[in-house]
Amino acid sequence: MSRRALRRLRGEQRGQEGPGLGELGLRPGPERAREGGPPPAPGKGPRGPPRAGVSNRFELIPAEESEDEPAAGEERPEPRLSEQDTAGGSQEGSRHGSKEGAGSPPETDGDGQREGQEAEQPHRTLATSNKPRKKKKKRKTKKNSAGETVEDNELEDIESLLERIEEPGLAPQSQGGISADSRPLLYVEHRNLNPENELKRYFGARAVLGDQRPRQRQRQYVRSMWLTAPKNTWPRYSKTGITMQLLDTRRGVQHFTFEHHREYQQVQFKFLDAVESMDPNNIVLLLQMNPYHVDSLLQLSEVCRMQEDQEMARDLIERALYSLECAFHPVFSLTSGTCRLDYRRPENRAFFLALFKHLMFLEKRGCPRTALEFCKLILSLDPENDPLCVLLLIDFLSLRAREYTFLTRLFQEWESHRNLSQLPNFAFSVPLAYFFLSQQEERPELERSQARERAARLIQLALIMFPSVLMPLLDHCSVQPDARVASHPFFGLNAQISQSPALNQLTSLYVGRTHALWKDPAVMAWLEPHVHEVLHMVDAQDTLVQEAEHKRKIRYQSAPRNIYRHIILSEMKEATAALPLEVTSQPVMDFDPLPPLDSIVSYTRPERTSHPSNESTLSLFFRSLLPNFNLQGDMRHDGDDEARAAQDLNQGVNRLMAAMRDMLANIQFQEPPRDDNPEGDGDWD
């Protein structure tokens, strides 16, 4: 037991001395004036009227702590003390004098004093010995009500700070503060990966959890995960055959990869056969035998989504994430932003796709802050190549989550080497973020004025660079432009027709995704004068307008493959309609849409024997029973014994088929007799 706990115990025991101490002259006058009876035990109400002459058992604690601790410790507030107890140093001295007058032993002999007091007061021994246990319980539950004693003020300060951070109004500001800016740009917080934390801030813990707490106590076999919470309805998890290996570490960045064991490879081959059969029931049967096969979960989730079973589709994606997280390497970190996965490896693609589909469900569920954290996680896995092109989505999630400072910081740090301003989504979303920052009244006036200036400059550059965005954006927002804007050719229909198909895909994707953010009347009032200013620059033949037109003609000739992959996964009707024919004409598998052309293949699917298309029905029937059957006898085997055995099998089957042909040729079906009376009973003879 610590010295502080011993001192508190001694103080409590002295405070529990019998009444009449003041009458015996052991306490000075000021202390006697403040006596009102012992306070009730923590968490309990008073049992009766206060007895006169009983000292406060907490009033001796500050006096004893002042002997060894610095003066700063004397200023800590004690909830149980009255205002007179914290008045000044004279009263501290009086309490110290009263303590010495009571005949207390030296502080170093704590155990001896406790034994002596237990001998003097045996009826208080049980209550005194149970006191540390009560304090420990209160420290666990972290109760801070008025009826309980605060034991650790530092813990109280931490709790109050966390409560302020969790408030919805202060959350965006805390992310944009100094503490958030000191972290890496793609730093991921574990608590922001849980959508329940975000829903609790909106609706409260009671509305979110409900009756889940008692059922969670019964779940004993599941593991606690960061990406998703396991459910009792899921099958019991067992090792699936997926592991993660550390390939190498270069410049402080660790490169990992998932690996499929031989058992998992066999299941993967069966899955490919089930996909080729075009029957979802085959995938369901495969999942019954292998409930945590990732590609099957991804494919079946898409089938459920198309059948408008959103709950089941989301549950399958969460199960896939759980299966992959169970295979993580011990040093693989979700939050550091220094762990990489190569999308060119087929084993790693399932993790990218599961994260992307999961964040799409989170955004539709109304958890944009959690979806933004998953988007940062995907981007941190391969920030250079960005295989799913989440840069086209991260600005929208930042605006939805009101993380304006993160979006502006991303633009400032990556603009020099990534040219984010050449993407329509960043060109329009960043000035919109600066506009929202300028509307926050809690910010200093200097920061607000700087944000207004940056927003004005960037929105004009965006309108000059991408004039085809304005009219579709106003159309989606149900806003009718004035006569000058509607009749000007710079923003007219010619701006949309003259742009390249790749640029049309980007602008259609942005307008279809973020038009709801521009419907605010304050945003439209801010946008209108800048549109007229751009028209004035166009009429004056400004050099910026000519340079932007030249850039549009040279760039955006063809979109990279990751943009096509992003459009397919996003399923935005406006952007999907603008996809080129070479993308829409080829089959797209939901478990691996548009695989990279330079894939790194670690294992291949066994080659299946090709069968001629002019086979008879009987030959197909026997092949369904015997997959190795070949009527022509053209079997390719490496060993002579296998070839001889297969040839004998084919000869036996061929003789059986010849006999069946003869039998079928000799079968004659007797035609039913014709009856001239059509109203007869129609019975045959």
PDB file of all heavy atoms in Angstrom, residues 188 192-195 226-228 321 334 351 354-356 358-360 362 367-381 390 397:
ATOM      1  N   VAL A 188      -4.068   6.932 -38.746  1.00  0.00           N
ATOM      2  CA  VAL A 188      -5.406   6.382 -38.536  1.00  0.00           C
ATOM      3  C   VAL A 188      -5.590   6.134 -37.044  1.00  0.00           C
ATOM      4  O   VAL A 188      -4.721   5.531 -36.394  1.00  0.00           O
ATOM      5  CB  VAL A 188      -5.602   5.070 -39.330  1.00  0.00           C
ATOM      6  CG1 VAL A 188      -6.972   4.475 -39.060  1.00  0.00           C
ATOM      7  CG2 VAL A 188      -5.428   5.329 -40.822  1.00  0.00           C
ATOM      8  N   ASN A 192     -11.679   5.774 -34.251  1.00  0.00           N
ATOM      9  CA  ASN A 192     -12.472   6.259 -35.376  1.00  0.00           C
ATOM     10  C   ASN A 192     -12.803   5.169 -36.379  1.00  0.00           C
ATOM     11  O   ASN A 192     -13.537   5.427 -37.337  1.00  0.00           O
ATOM     12  CB  ASN A 192     -11.734   7.393 -36.086  1.00  0.00           C
ATOM     13  CG  ASN A 192     -11.685   8.657 -35.257  1.00  0.00           C
ATOM     14  OD1 ASN A 192     -12.572   8.916 -34.448  1.00  0.00           O
ATOM     15  ND2 ASN A 192     -10.642   9.449 -35.430  1.00  0.00           N
ATOM     16  N   LEU A 193     -12.272   3.959 -36.192  1.00  0.00           N
ATOM     17  CA  LEU A 193     -12.628   2.843 -37.061  1.00  0.00           C
ATOM     18  C   LEU A 193     -13.895   2.137 -36.605  1.00  0.00           C
ATOM     19  O   LEU A 193     -14.389   1.254 -37.309  1.00  0.00           O
ATOM     20  CB  LEU A 193     -11.475   1.826 -37.115  1.00  0.00           C
ATOM     21  CG  LEU A 193     -10.186   2.293 -37.788  1.00  0.00           C
ATOM     22  CD1 LEU A 193      -9.107   1.235 -37.658  1.00  0.00           C
ATOM     23  CD2 LEU A 193     -10.420   2.630 -39.252  1.00  0.00           C
ATOM     24  N   ASN A 194     -14.400   2.505 -35.454  1.00  0.00           N
ATOM     25  CA  ASN A 194     -15.612   1.880 -34.914  1.00  0.00           C
ATOM     26  C   ASN A 194     -16.802   2.801 -35.179  1.00  0.00           C
ATOM     27  O   ASN A 194     -16.871   3.906 -34.637  1.00  0.00           O
ATOM     28  CB  ASN A 194     -15.457   1.640 -33.415  1.00  0.00           C
ATOM     29  CG  ASN A 194     -16.592   0.817 -32.844  1.00  0.00           C
ATOM     30  OD1 ASN A 194     -17.510   0.414 -33.555  1.00  0.00           O
ATOM     31  ND2 ASN A 194     -16.548   0.562 -31.554  1.00  0.00           N
ATOM     32  N   PRO A 195     -17.754   2.379 -36.009  1.00  0.00           N
ATOM     33  CA  PRO A 195     -18.890   3.272 -36.295  1.00  0.00           C
ATOM     34  C   PRO A 195     -19.777   3.519 -35.087  1.00  0.00           C
ATOM     35  O   PRO A 195     -20.491   4.522 -35.045  1.00  0.00           O
ATOM     36  CB  PRO A 195     -19.645   2.526 -37.406  1.00  0.00           C
ATOM     37  CG  PRO A 195     -19.251   1.094 -37.256  1.00  0.00           C
ATOM     38  CD  PRO A 195     -17.850   1.110 -36.752  1.00  0.00           C
ATOM     39  N   TRP A 226     -10.158  -4.495 -34.604  1.00  0.00           N
ATOM     40  CA  TRP A 226     -10.262  -3.051 -34.824  1.00  0.00           C
ATOM     41  C   TRP A 226     -11.163  -2.728 -36.008  1.00  0.00           C
ATOM     42  O   TRP A 226     -11.873  -1.731 -35.994  1.00  0.00           O
ATOM     43  CB  TRP A 226      -8.876  -2.446 -35.068  1.00  0.00           C
ATOM     44  CG  TRP A 226      -7.969  -2.461 -33.897  1.00  0.00           C
ATOM     45  CD1 TRP A 226      -6.807  -3.173 -33.749  1.00  0.00           C
ATOM     46  CD2 TRP A 226      -8.121  -1.732 -32.670  1.00  0.00           C
ATOM     47  NE1 TRP A 226      -6.243  -2.944 -32.525  1.00  0.00           N
ATOM     48  CE2 TRP A 226      -7.025  -2.052 -31.841  1.00  0.00           C
ATOM     49  CE3 TRP A 226      -9.084  -0.844 -32.195  1.00  0.00           C
ATOM     50  CZ2 TRP A 226      -6.864  -1.513 -30.567  1.00  0.00           C
ATOM     51  CZ3 TRP A 226      -8.928  -0.302 -30.930  1.00  0.00           C
ATOM     52  CH2 TRP A 226      -7.825  -0.644 -30.134  1.00  0.00           C
ATOM     53  N   LEU A 227     -11.121  -3.540 -37.064  1.00  0.00           N
ATOM     54  CA  LEU A 227     -11.846  -3.201 -38.284  1.00  0.00           C
ATOM     55  C   LEU A 227     -13.335  -3.466 -38.155  1.00  0.00           C
ATOM     56  O   LEU A 227     -14.142  -2.735 -38.724  1.00  0.00           O
ATOM     57  CB  LEU A 227     -11.277  -3.985 -39.472  1.00  0.00           C
ATOM     58  CG  LEU A 227      -9.823  -3.677 -39.839  1.00  0.00           C
ATOM     59  CD1 LEU A 227      -9.378  -4.537 -41.002  1.00  0.00           C
ATOM     60  CD2 LEU A 227      -9.654  -2.204 -40.179  1.00  0.00           C
ATOM     61  N   THR A 228     -13.713  -4.494 -37.443  1.00  0.00           N
ATOM     62  CA  THR A 228     -15.123  -4.841 -37.326  1.00  0.00           C
ATOM     63  C   THR A 228     -15.341  -5.589 -36.027  1.00  0.00           C
ATOM     64  O   THR A 228     -14.396  -6.155 -35.455  1.00  0.00           O
ATOM     65  CB  THR A 228     -15.578  -5.713 -38.512  1.00  0.00           C
ATOM     66  OG1 THR A 228     -16.963  -5.997 -38.389  1.00  0.00           O
ATOM     67  CG2 THR A 228     -14.792  -7.001 -38.582  1.00  0.00           C
ATOM     68  N   LEU A 321     -13.697  -8.910 -43.660  1.00  0.00           N
ATOM     69  CA  LEU A 321     -12.681  -8.120 -42.958  1.00  0.00           C
ATOM     70  C   LEU A 321     -12.197  -8.831 -41.705  1.00  0.00           C
ATOM     71  O   LEU A 321     -10.997  -8.785 -41.372  1.00  0.00           O
ATOM     72  CB  LEU A 321     -13.255  -6.746 -42.595  1.00  0.00           C
ATOM     73  CG  LEU A 321     -13.397  -5.741 -43.738  1.00  0.00           C
ATOM     74  CD1 LEU A 321     -14.053  -4.462 -43.242  1.00  0.00           C
ATOM     75  CD2 LEU A 321     -12.034  -5.424 -44.338  1.00  0.00           C
ATOM     76  N   LEU A 334      -2.241  -0.835 -38.481  1.00  0.00           N
ATOM     77  CA  LEU A 334      -3.265  -0.127 -39.244  1.00  0.00           C
ATOM     78  C   LEU A 334      -3.134   1.381 -39.117  1.00  0.00           C
ATOM     79  O   LEU A 334      -3.635   2.115 -39.972  1.00  0.00           O
ATOM     80  CB  LEU A 334      -4.652  -0.554 -38.766  1.00  0.00           C
ATOM     81  CG  LEU A 334      -5.060  -2.007 -39.004  1.00  0.00           C
ATOM     82  CD1 LEU A 334      -6.365  -2.293 -38.289  1.00  0.00           C
ATOM     83  CD2 LEU A 334      -5.193  -2.293 -40.485  1.00  0.00           C
ATOM     84  N   PHE A 351      -8.327  -7.546 -49.629  1.00  0.00           N
ATOM     85  CA  PHE A 351      -8.309  -6.627 -48.502  1.00  0.00           C
ATOM     86  C   PHE A 351      -8.660  -5.207 -48.950  1.00  0.00           C
ATOM     87  O   PHE A 351      -9.440  -4.511 -48.291  1.00  0.00           O
ATOM     88  CB  PHE A 351      -6.928  -6.656 -47.845  1.00  0.00           C
ATOM     89  CG  PHE A 351      -6.857  -5.892 -46.554  1.00  0.00           C
ATOM     90  CD1 PHE A 351      -7.760  -6.134 -45.531  1.00  0.00           C
ATOM     91  CD2 PHE A 351      -5.894  -4.931 -46.354  1.00  0.00           C
ATOM     92  CE1 PHE A 351      -7.696  -5.440 -44.342  1.00  0.00           C
ATOM     93  CE2 PHE A 351      -5.820  -4.227 -45.172  1.00  0.00           C
ATOM     94  CZ  PHE A 351      -6.724  -4.480 -44.166  1.00  0.00           C
ATOM     95  N   ALA A 354     -12.486  -5.240 -49.809  1.00  0.00           N
ATOM     96  CA  ALA A 354     -13.339  -5.344 -48.626  1.00  0.00           C
ATOM     97  C   ALA A 354     -13.370  -4.022 -47.861  1.00  0.00           C
ATOM     98  O   ALA A 354     -14.433  -3.593 -47.385  1.00  0.00           O
ATOM     99  CB  ALA A 354     -12.845  -6.472 -47.726  1.00  0.00           C
ATOM    100  N   LEU A 355     -12.231  -3.343 -47.748  1.00  0.00           N
ATOM    101  CA  LEU A 355     -12.203  -2.045 -47.082  1.00  0.00           C
ATOM    102  C   LEU A 355     -13.020  -1.013 -47.848  1.00  0.00           C
ATOM    103  O   LEU A 355     -13.760  -0.217 -47.243  1.00  0.00           O
ATOM    104  CB  LEU A 355     -10.754  -1.565 -46.941  1.00  0.00           C
ATOM    105  CG  LEU A 355      -9.870  -2.306 -45.941  1.00  0.00           C
ATOM    106  CD1 LEU A 355      -8.441  -1.793 -46.024  1.00  0.00           C
ATOM    107  CD2 LEU A 355     -10.401  -2.151 -44.528  1.00  0.00           C
ATOM    108  N   PHE A 356     -12.908  -1.016 -49.166  1.00  0.00           N
ATOM    109  CA  PHE A 356     -13.642  -0.037 -49.963  1.00  0.00           C
ATOM    110  C   PHE A 356     -15.146  -0.267 -49.863  1.00  0.00           C
ATOM    111  O   PHE A 356     -15.923   0.679 -49.674  1.00  0.00           O
ATOM    112  CB  PHE A 356     -13.180  -0.111 -51.417  1.00  0.00           C
ATOM    113  CG  PHE A 356     -13.714   1.004 -52.278  1.00  0.00           C
ATOM    114  CD1 PHE A 356     -13.016   2.188 -52.409  1.00  0.00           C
ATOM    115  CD2 PHE A 356     -14.924   0.874 -52.956  1.00  0.00           C
ATOM    116  CE1 PHE A 356     -13.496   3.219 -53.191  1.00  0.00           C
ATOM    117  CE2 PHE A 356     -15.414   1.897 -53.732  1.00  0.00           C
ATOM    118  CZ  PHE A 356     -14.693   3.074 -53.853  1.00  0.00           C
ATOM    119  N   HIS A 358     -16.704  -1.724 -47.484  1.00  0.00           N
ATOM    120  CA  HIS A 358     -17.121  -1.440 -46.111  1.00  0.00           C
ATOM    121  C   HIS A 358     -17.305   0.059 -45.893  1.00  0.00           C
ATOM    122  O   HIS A 358     -18.285   0.486 -45.263  1.00  0.00           O
ATOM    123  CB  HIS A 358     -16.088  -2.006 -45.145  1.00  0.00           C
ATOM    124  CG  HIS A 358     -16.472  -1.874 -43.705  1.00  0.00           C
ATOM    125  ND1 HIS A 358     -17.633  -2.409 -43.188  1.00  0.00           N
ATOM    126  CD2 HIS A 358     -15.865  -1.241 -42.656  1.00  0.00           C
ATOM    127  CE1 HIS A 358     -17.718  -2.139 -41.893  1.00  0.00           C
ATOM    128  NE2 HIS A 358     -16.668  -1.421 -41.555  1.00  0.00           N
ATOM    129  N   LEU A 359     -16.396   0.871 -46.414  1.00  0.00           N
ATOM    130  CA  LEU A 359     -16.556   2.323 -46.233  1.00  0.00           C
ATOM    131  C   LEU A 359     -17.744   2.862 -47.019  1.00  0.00           C
ATOM    132  O   LEU A 359     -18.373   3.851 -46.599  1.00  0.00           O
ATOM    133  CB  LEU A 359     -15.269   3.053 -46.592  1.00  0.00           C
ATOM    134  CG  LEU A 359     -14.860   3.272 -48.055  1.00  0.00           C
ATOM    135  CD1 LEU A 359     -15.462   4.560 -48.631  1.00  0.00           C
ATOM    136  CD2 LEU A 359     -13.342   3.376 -48.175  1.00  0.00           C
ATOM    137  N   MET A 360     -18.074   2.229 -48.130  1.00  0.00           N
ATOM    138  CA  MET A 360     -19.265   2.657 -48.865  1.00  0.00           C
ATOM    139  C   MET A 360     -20.528   2.373 -48.053  1.00  0.00           C
ATOM    140  O   MET A 360     -21.456   3.191 -48.018  1.00  0.00           O
ATOM    141  CB  MET A 360     -19.333   1.947 -50.217  1.00  0.00           C
ATOM    142  CG  MET A 360     -18.201   2.319 -51.169  1.00  0.00           C
ATOM    143  SD  MET A 360     -18.170   4.072 -51.589  1.00  0.00           S
ATOM    144  CE  MET A 360     -19.671   4.224 -52.517  1.00  0.00           C
ATOM    145  N   LEU A 362     -20.597   2.261 -44.787  1.00  0.00           N
ATOM    146  CA  LEU A 362     -20.557   3.192 -43.660  1.00  0.00           C
ATOM    147  C   LEU A 362     -21.053   4.574 -44.075  1.00  0.00           C
ATOM    148  O   LEU A 362     -21.767   5.237 -43.319  1.00  0.00           O
ATOM    149  CB  LEU A 362     -19.131   3.287 -43.119  1.00  0.00           C
ATOM    150  CG  LEU A 362     -18.604   2.070 -42.366  1.00  0.00           C
ATOM    151  CD1 LEU A 362     -17.122   2.247 -42.050  1.00  0.00           C
ATOM    152  CD2 LEU A 362     -19.387   1.844 -41.092  1.00  0.00           C
ATOM    153  N   CYS A 367     -22.236   7.385 -41.336  1.00  0.00           N
ATOM    154  CA  CYS A 367     -21.013   7.472 -40.528  1.00  0.00           C
ATOM    155  C   CYS A 367     -19.876   7.979 -41.403  1.00  0.00           C
ATOM    156  O   CYS A 367     -18.937   7.227 -41.729  1.00  0.00           O
ATOM    157  CB  CYS A 367     -20.663   6.118 -39.930  1.00  0.00           C
ATOM    158  SG  CYS A 367     -21.938   5.406 -38.878  1.00  0.00           S
ATOM    159  N   PRO A 368     -19.908   9.248 -41.818  1.00  0.00           N
ATOM    160  CA  PRO A 368     -18.848   9.729 -42.714  1.00  0.00           C
ATOM    161  C   PRO A 368     -17.493   9.822 -42.044  1.00  0.00           C
ATOM    162  O   PRO A 368     -16.470   9.665 -42.715  1.00  0.00           O
ATOM    163  CB  PRO A 368     -19.358  11.113 -43.146  1.00  0.00           C
ATOM    164  CG  PRO A 368     -20.275  11.538 -42.047  1.00  0.00           C
ATOM    165  CD  PRO A 368     -20.916  10.283 -41.538  1.00  0.00           C
ATOM    166  N   ARG A 369     -17.458  10.073 -40.739  1.00  0.00           N
ATOM    167  CA  ARG A 369     -16.153  10.166 -40.068  1.00  0.00           C
ATOM    168  C   ARG A 369     -15.471   8.809 -40.045  1.00  0.00           C
ATOM    169  O   ARG A 369     -14.251   8.720 -40.278  1.00  0.00           O
ATOM    170  CB  ARG A 369     -16.347  10.686 -38.633  1.00  0.00           C
ATOM    171  CG  ARG A 369     -15.028  10.881 -37.873  1.00  0.00           C
ATOM    172  CD  ARG A 369     -14.224  11.991 -38.521  1.00  0.00           C
ATOM    173  NE  ARG A 369     -12.915  12.124 -37.921  1.00  0.00           N
ATOM    174  CZ  ARG A 369     -11.839  11.453 -38.292  1.00  0.00           C
ATOM    175  NH1 ARG A 369     -11.917  10.565 -39.268  1.00  0.00           N
ATOM    176  NH2 ARG A 369     -10.678  11.660 -37.713  1.00  0.00           N
ATOM    177  N   THR A 370     -16.199   7.761 -39.774  1.00  0.00           N
ATOM    178  CA  THR A 370     -15.621   6.423 -39.802  1.00  0.00           C
ATOM    179  C   THR A 370     -15.233   6.029 -41.223  1.00  0.00           C
ATOM    180  O   THR A 370     -14.179   5.410 -41.438  1.00  0.00           O
ATOM    181  CB  THR A 370     -16.620   5.413 -39.231  1.00  0.00           C
ATOM    182  OG1 THR A 370     -17.116   5.886 -37.978  1.00  0.00           O
ATOM    183  CG2 THR A 370     -15.981   4.067 -39.039  1.00  0.00           C
ATOM    184  N   ALA A 371     -16.051   6.386 -42.200  1.00  0.00           N
ATOM    185  CA  ALA A 371     -15.716   6.086 -43.592  1.00  0.00           C
ATOM    186  C   ALA A 371     -14.453   6.821 -44.026  1.00  0.00           C
ATOM    187  O   ALA A 371     -13.638   6.281 -44.780  1.00  0.00           O
ATOM    188  CB  ALA A 371     -16.894   6.456 -44.496  1.00  0.00           C
ATOM    189  N   LEU A 372     -14.267   8.045 -43.553  1.00  0.00           N
ATOM    190  CA  LEU A 372     -13.044   8.790 -43.871  1.00  0.00           C
ATOM    191  C   LEU A 372     -11.822   8.090 -43.298  1.00  0.00           C
ATOM    192  O   LEU A 372     -10.760   8.047 -43.943  1.00  0.00           O
ATOM    193  CB  LEU A 372     -13.152  10.211 -43.330  1.00  0.00           C
ATOM    194  CG  LEU A 372     -11.894  11.080 -43.458  1.00  0.00           C
ATOM    195  CD1 LEU A 372     -11.520  11.287 -44.916  1.00  0.00           C
ATOM    196  CD2 LEU A 372     -12.102  12.427 -42.765  1.00  0.00           C
ATOM    197  N   GLU A 373     -11.943   7.531 -42.109  1.00  0.00           N
ATOM    198  CA  GLU A 373     -10.803   6.840 -41.510  1.00  0.00           C
ATOM    199  C   GLU A 373     -10.448   5.593 -42.313  1.00  0.00           C
ATOM    200  O   GLU A 373      -9.272   5.280 -42.502  1.00  0.00           O
ATOM    201  CB  GLU A 373     -11.139   6.467 -40.067  1.00  0.00           C
ATOM    202  CG  GLU A 373      -9.945   6.447 -39.149  1.00  0.00           C
ATOM    203  CD  GLU A 373      -9.383   7.821 -38.875  1.00  0.00           C
ATOM    204  OE1 GLU A 373     -10.060   8.809 -39.175  1.00  0.00           O
ATOM    205  OE2 GLU A 373      -8.267   7.911 -38.343  1.00  0.00           O
ATOM    206  N   PHE A 374     -11.442   4.870 -42.797  1.00  0.00           N
ATOM    207  CA  PHE A 374     -11.167   3.715 -43.654  1.00  0.00           C
ATOM    208  C   PHE A 374     -10.580   4.155 -44.994  1.00  0.00           C
ATOM    209  O   PHE A 374      -9.749   3.447 -45.576  1.00  0.00           O
ATOM    210  CB  PHE A 374     -12.442   2.904 -43.870  1.00  0.00           C
ATOM    211  CG  PHE A 374     -12.721   1.910 -42.791  1.00  0.00           C
ATOM    212  CD1 PHE A 374     -13.505   2.249 -41.703  1.00  0.00           C
ATOM    213  CD2 PHE A 374     -12.193   0.636 -42.838  1.00  0.00           C
ATOM    214  CE1 PHE A 374     -13.766   1.341 -40.694  1.00  0.00           C
ATOM    215  CE2 PHE A 374     -12.447  -0.290 -41.838  1.00  0.00           C
ATOM    216  CZ  PHE A 374     -13.236   0.063 -40.761  1.00  0.00           C
ATOM    217  N   CYS A 375     -11.006   5.296 -45.490  1.00  0.00           N
ATOM    218  CA  CYS A 375     -10.447   5.809 -46.742  1.00  0.00           C
ATOM    219  C   CYS A 375      -8.970   6.156 -46.571  1.00  0.00           C
ATOM    220  O   CYS A 375      -8.141   5.881 -47.454  1.00  0.00           O
ATOM    221  CB  CYS A 375     -11.244   7.030 -47.194  1.00  0.00           C
ATOM    222  SG  CYS A 375     -10.852   7.603 -48.856  1.00  0.00           S
ATOM    223  N   LYS A 376      -8.624   6.748 -45.446  1.00  0.00           N
ATOM    224  CA  LYS A 376      -7.217   7.031 -45.149  1.00  0.00           C
ATOM    225  C   LYS A 376      -6.423   5.735 -45.026  1.00  0.00           C
ATOM    226  O   LYS A 376      -5.260   5.665 -45.443  1.00  0.00           O
ATOM    227  CB  LYS A 376      -7.116   7.848 -43.864  1.00  0.00           C
ATOM    228  CG  LYS A 376      -7.635   9.261 -43.994  1.00  0.00           C
ATOM    229  CD  LYS A 376      -7.927   9.890 -42.655  1.00  0.00           C
ATOM    230  CE  LYS A 376      -6.729   9.950 -41.764  1.00  0.00           C
ATOM    231  NZ  LYS A 376      -7.020  10.617 -40.474  1.00  0.00           N
ATOM    232  N   LEU A 377      -7.045   4.708 -44.461  1.00  0.00           N
ATOM    233  CA  LEU A 377      -6.360   3.425 -44.333  1.00  0.00           C
ATOM    234  C   LEU A 377      -6.065   2.816 -45.701  1.00  0.00           C
ATOM    235  O   LEU A 377      -4.957   2.316 -45.946  1.00  0.00           O
ATOM    236  CB  LEU A 377      -7.215   2.481 -43.487  1.00  0.00           C
ATOM    237  CG  LEU A 377      -6.728   1.037 -43.351  1.00  0.00           C
ATOM    238  CD1 LEU A 377      -5.342   0.982 -42.737  1.00  0.00           C
ATOM    239  CD2 LEU A 377      -7.711   0.219 -42.522  1.00  0.00           C
ATOM    240  N   ILE A 378      -7.019   2.863 -46.606  1.00  0.00           N
ATOM    241  CA  ILE A 378      -6.791   2.331 -47.961  1.00  0.00           C
ATOM    242  C   ILE A 378      -5.695   3.110 -48.660  1.00  0.00           C
ATOM    243  O   ILE A 378      -4.818   2.539 -49.325  1.00  0.00           O
ATOM    244  CB  ILE A 378      -8.098   2.369 -48.771  1.00  0.00           C
ATOM    245  CG1 ILE A 378      -9.153   1.477 -48.125  1.00  0.00           C
ATOM    246  CG2 ILE A 378      -7.863   1.926 -50.205  1.00  0.00           C
ATOM    247  CD1 ILE A 378     -10.506   1.552 -48.805  1.00  0.00           C
ATOM    248  N   LEU A 379      -5.713   4.418 -48.515  1.00  0.00           N
ATOM    249  CA  LEU A 379      -4.700   5.242 -49.171  1.00  0.00           C
ATOM    250  C   LEU A 379      -3.323   4.999 -48.591  1.00  0.00           C
ATOM    251  O   LEU A 379      -2.318   5.067 -49.311  1.00  0.00           O
ATOM    252  CB  LEU A 379      -5.083   6.716 -49.043  1.00  0.00           C
ATOM    253  CG  LEU A 379      -4.236   7.722 -49.831  1.00  0.00           C
ATOM    254  CD1 LEU A 379      -4.271   7.403 -51.320  1.00  0.00           C
ATOM    255  CD2 LEU A 379      -4.730   9.139 -49.582  1.00  0.00           C
ATOM    256  N   SER A 380      -3.234   4.691 -47.291  1.00  0.00           N
ATOM    257  CA  SER A 380      -1.930   4.454 -46.676  1.00  0.00           C
ATOM    258  C   SER A 380      -1.329   3.114 -47.093  1.00  0.00           C
ATOM    259  O   SER A 380      -0.112   2.938 -46.985  1.00  0.00           O
ATOM    260  CB  SER A 380      -2.052   4.500 -45.146  1.00  0.00           C
ATOM    261  OG  SER A 380      -2.829   3.421 -44.666  1.00  0.00           O
ATOM    262  N   LEU A 381      -2.150   2.165 -47.555  1.00  0.00           N
ATOM    263  CA  LEU A 381      -1.620   0.873 -47.973  1.00  0.00           C
ATOM    264  C   LEU A 381      -0.813   0.961 -49.262  1.00  0.00           C
ATOM    265  O   LEU A 381       0.106   0.160 -49.462  1.00  0.00           O
ATOM    266  CB  LEU A 381      -2.772  -0.132 -48.150  1.00  0.00           C
ATOM    267  CG  LEU A 381      -3.549  -0.495 -46.878  1.00  0.00           C
ATOM    268  CD1 LEU A 381      -4.691  -1.432 -47.220  1.00  0.00           C
ATOM    269  CD2 LEU A 381      -2.636  -1.107 -45.826  1.00  0.00           C
ATOM    270  N   VAL A 390      -8.834   6.208 -54.361  1.00  0.00           N
ATOM    271  CA  VAL A 390      -9.660   6.797 -53.305  1.00  0.00           C
ATOM    272  C   VAL A 390      -9.449   8.303 -53.193  1.00  0.00           C
ATOM    273  O   VAL A 390     -10.179   8.975 -52.449  1.00  0.00           O
ATOM    274  CB  VAL A 390      -9.372   6.115 -51.953  1.00  0.00           C
ATOM    275  CG1 VAL A 390      -9.817   4.674 -51.966  1.00  0.00           C
ATOM    276  CG2 VAL A 390      -7.894   6.219 -51.593  1.00  0.00           C
ATOM    277  N   LEU A 397     -15.724  12.644 -48.450  1.00  0.00           N
ATOM    278  CA  LEU A 397     -15.871  12.171 -47.072  1.00  0.00           C
ATOM    279  C   LEU A 397     -15.370  13.210 -46.072  1.00  0.00           C
ATOM    280  O   LEU A 397     -15.931  13.334 -44.974  1.00  0.00           O
ATOM    281  CB  LEU A 397     -15.116  10.853 -46.893  1.00  0.00           C
ATOM    282  CG  LEU A 397     -15.632   9.665 -47.713  1.00  0.00           C
ATOM    283  CD1 LEU A 397     -14.750   8.445 -47.512  1.00  0.00           C
ATOM    284  CD2 LEU A 397     -17.069   9.338 -47.357  1.00  0.00           C
TER     285      LEU A 397
END
